Amino acid sequence: MINLRDIRPQRVRLGDQPLVTKDGGSLPLVMRPVRSDLDPVAWARNNAAEIETELIKHGAILFRDFPFRSRTDFESFAKAISPELMEYTERSTPRSDVAPGIYTSTEYPADQHIPLHNENSYSHKWPRKVYFFCAEPAPIGGHTPLADSRRVFEAIDKSIRHRFMEKGVMYVRNYRSDLDLPWQTVFRTSDRTEVDRYCAKVGMRCEWRDDGSLRTTQVRQAVATHPVTREIVWFNQAHLFHVSSLTKELGESMRALYQNDELPRNSYYGDGTPIEASTLDEIRRVYDELAVTNDWQQGDLVLVDNMLTAHGRTPYEGSRKILVAMAEPFQQ
C-alpha cells in the first residue's frame, strides 16, 4: 500500500512545452495554439520577443485557431504586442472608425481590386505594424494578398530602381467633396489653419483654391531601410496613386474632366516629371508575380511588418468584414 506522505511533489515545467505550432513554409508564417484554453493575450505578452523575431524573419504572421471572436478580442491582442495604437492620419481611403485605433478595412466597392501597397508609404510617417482581423470572410474572393517588399525591390529592373531612388516620388492630391476624400476627413479637422500648420510641419506643400478646395504636393522616398534588419525595401505608392491605376473607363472619364494637375490624385517622379507607363507596368507585374494569397477564415488575425510586407485586396462577392489596427509609428 502506498503511503501518500512518502510521495514528494515534483515540479512540472510547462514552460518547456510549446504552446503554439509554427508553419513557416510560405508567407505568412502560420501560428496555431496547441491547447484550446490558451489565453492569447497573456501568451502574446509573455512571448512578445519571439513574435517580433518571427515577424522580422517572415514579414507577416497569421494567427489561426486562436479564440478571437470579437473586436475587443482583436484589440486586446494587438495592444498586448503594441500597447499604443495609431490614429489613421493623412487618410487616402474611406474607412469607418470602430473604436479608438480600430478601423474597418478600405471601404471601396466589392468589385474593385486594391493593388498591393505598404500602408501610408506616401506619408512622412507610417506604421511599423499593421493588424488585420477577419470578423467575417467573404463567401467568394476578398483575399488580402501579401508580397515581400525585399523581394519586390530586388525583382524590379535595376534602371527603374535607380531612377526612383535618385528622384523619389511626388504625390499630388486635389481634395473635393464629390471626388475621393474631402480634406476635412483626411486631416481630421475643419480648421484650415490646422491643415496649414500640419503641412508645414511635415514638408507638404499646401494650396487653397478659390472654390475652397485644397491641393497638396509632397515628395517622399521610393525605397526605405528597415530599422532592424537594415535591408532595403520597395516602399512607395507611385503605382497606386497614378491615374493609370484607375479602370480604363474611369481613367478616361477623369482625363476628360481634369488636367493632370487637377486629378483627385496622381504621382510623378520626385522632380515633377511624368512616370513612364512602361515603368508602372513593370512595377505592377512584379507585385502580381510575387503576391501570395491565403483564404480568410473567421477569427483569423494577421500581423504584418508594414515595411517588409505589402498587402492588397482582391474583389469579392457577398458580405465581408475585416478590421484593421496600426501601431508603432516610424519615420525615416
Side-chain angles (χ1 to χ4, degrees):
M1 183 175 181
I2 299 176
N3 189 338
L4 296 180
R5 294 180 179 179
D6 296 332
I7 300 177
R8 295 183 179 181
Q10 296 181 359
R11 182 176 297 175
V12 178
R13 299 182 63 185
L14 295 177
D16 291 342
Q17 302 175 2
L19 298 178
V20 300
T21 61
K22 303 176 187 178
D23 180 4
S26 63
L27 180 70
L29 172 71
V30 181
M31 287 188 171
R32 290 183 172 90
V34 173
R35 298 169 47 173
S36 61
D37 61 348
L38 177 70
D39 181 341
V41 174
W43 173 81
R45 288 198 186 106
N46 293 331
N47 294 273
E50 178 185 359
I51 292 171
E52 178 71 14
T53 298
E54 297 291 3
L55 182 63
I56 293 298
K57 179 180 178 181
H58 295 275
I61 302 174
L62 165 58
F63 299 94
R64 174 161 285 176
D65 298 332
F66 283 76
F68 301 131
R69 298 181 178 85
S70 66
R71 186 269 300 171
T72 53
D73 291 340
F74 169 52
E75 182 178 357
S76 297
F77 185 81
K79 286 184 174 180
I81 302 171
S82 305
E84 297 290 335
L85 301 183
M86 284 179 61
E87 181 183 1
Y88 180 31
T89 57
E90 282 189 48
R91 300 188 176 201
S92 65
T93 60
R95 300 174 186 258
S96 296
D97 295 13
V98 177
I102 307 293
Y103 309 92
T104 60
S105 58
T106 297
E107 296 173 343
Y108 280 161
D111 62 351
Q112 187 168 337
H113 167 73
I114 301 177
L116 284 153
H117 62 283
N118 304 87
E119 199 67 42
N120 278 47
S121 53
Y122 56 82
S123 178
H124 75 293
K125 180 172 62 177
W126 53 82
R128 271 280 319 282
K129 290 184 174 71
V130 180
Y131 297 81
F132 300 91
F133 171 61
C134 181
E136 181 182 3
I140 300 175
H143 304 101
T144 300
L146 304 174
D148 189 322
S149 299
R150 295 164 284 196
R151 296 183 63 196
V152 172
F153 173 80
E154 293 294 339
I156 291 175
D157 181 87
K158 288 183 180 180
S159 63
I160 293 176
R161 292 201 317 245
H162 292 160
R163 191 155 60 246
F164 271 100
M165 291 172 72
E166 178 184 355
K167 296 184 176 184
V169 181
M170 176 184 289
Y171 302 97
V172 179
R173 296 182 67 176
N174 288 283
Y175 309 83
R176 299 183 179 88
S177 58
D178 57 335
L179 290 171
D180 213 338
L181 299 177
W183 60 265
Q184 293 91 338
T185 298
V186 174
F187 294 100
R188 311 295 287 168
T189 181
S190 58
D191 186 341
R192 290 190 182 188
T193 303
E194 287 295 321
V195 176
D196 291 338
R197 186 178 297 116
Y198 177 86
C199 290
K201 178 182 178 181
V202 302
M204 185 188 302
R205 183 181 178 188
C206 176
E207 304 173 71
W208 295 101
R209 320 307 295 279
D210 293 339
D211 61 0
S213 64
L214 171 67
R215 176 191 295 165
T216 60
T217 304
Q218 57 180 329
V219 177
R220 302 301 181 200
Q221 76 293 316
V223 304
T225 301
H226 193 276
V228 177
T229 70
R230 308 312 299 172
E231 295 168 293
I232 299 177
V233 297
W234 189 253
F235 198 74
N236 65 79
Q237 292 191 28
H239 67 297
L240 187 57
F241 266 70
H242 197 271
V243 64
S244 62
S245 68
L246 301 174
T247 63
K248 181 180 179 182
E249 295 77 12
L250 184 56
E252 290 175 350
S253 175
M254 287 291 182
R255 286 189 175 95
L257 290 172
Y258 304 106
Q259 299 294 324
N260 276 347
D261 63 349
E262 296 289 341
L263 290 165
R265 64 178 72 183
N266 207 353
S267 63
Y268 305 83
Y269 286 118
D271 59 6
T273 56
I275 303 174
E276 306 85 358
S278 60
T279 294
L280 294 165
D281 288 343
E282 163 69 3
I283 294 170
R284 294 181 181 120
R285 180 195 66 77
V286 170
Y287 272 119
D288 290 343
E289 186 177 275
L290 295 178
V292 176
T293 301
N294 295 275
D295 290 333
W296 279 114
Q297 295 182 15
Q298 189 167 13
D300 280 351
L301 192 155
V302 172
L303 168 57
V304 168
D305 184 306
N306 185 46
M307 294 184 70
L308 297 180
T309 304
H311 66 275
R313 191 198 74 184
T314 63
Y316 65 94
E317 298 178 16
S319 180
R320 176 183 187 268
K321 186 176 182 181
I322 306 293
L323 300 182
V324 180
M326 307 174 212
E328 301 180 24
F330 179 80
Q331 61 187 81
Q332 198 162 81

